[in-house]
Amino acid sequence: MLKGQLGQLMQQAQRMQDDMKKAQDELARVEVTGQAGGGLVSITMSGTHEVRKVQIDRAMFAEDPEMAEDLVAAAINDAVNKVAQTSKERMGSVTQGLNLPPGFKLPF
């Protein structure tokens, strides 16, 4: 009896690992766009935090380069937060139903 339960547990762990890999692969293909300054700066980032595209209103650099720098940082942070939210949603579907302790994050 115990052997059968252990086998089921191992199969469940393997399925979860396969689902986790699939979710990570999907997340790597996702792109989000963070913006700041009402669209003056846009950063497109992959689900693995790779910046793919930067768009900046060039006139802003000439007028106020320090503000441009602040808006680039804000747009990057916006994109990072969107990646984190997307990741949480995608991985949440994989770990749904598991009784993980509070604060326990997957993947390790």
Side-chain angles (χ1 to χ4, degrees):
M1 182 82 153
L2 183 60
K3 199 175 211 180
Q5 290 174 342
L6 183 59
Q8 286 179 328
L9 183 61
M10 294 300 288
Q11 287 176 349
Q12 182 181 8
Q14 182 62 47
R15 278 193 305 274
M16 187 181 80
Q17 186 176 16
D18 293 343
D19 290 346
M20 177 94 50
K21 174 70 171 131
K22 182 179 175 185
Q24 288 171 333
D25 291 344
E26 288 174 6
L27 190 59
R29 290 188 298 272
V30 167
E31 286 189 350
V32 300
T33 300
Q35 294 186 338
L40 293 173
V41 176
S42 296
I43 305 290
T44 301
M45 182 179 286
S46 74
T48 57
H49 296 96
E50 179 182 317
V51 174
R52 301 266 171 92
K53 185 176 184 180
V54 177
Q55 292 178 302
I56 300 170
D57 181 340
R58 295 181 192 278
M60 184 178 52
F61 269 118
E63 294 174 19
D64 192 350
E66 289 176 353
M67 179 182 278
E69 292 168 353
D70 291 342
L71 290 177
V72 168
I76 290 171
N77 289 334
D78 185 41
V80 166
N81 289 332
K82 287 179 179 180
V83 168
Q85 182 62 36
T86 302
S87 178
K88 182 178 177 181
E89 291 168 3
R90 300 276 171 112
M91 293 304 187
S93 66
V94 172
T95 60
Q96 187 176 359
L98 296 176
N99 294 322
L100 299 175
F104 190 84
K105 295 183 181 181
L106 291 174
F108 306 104

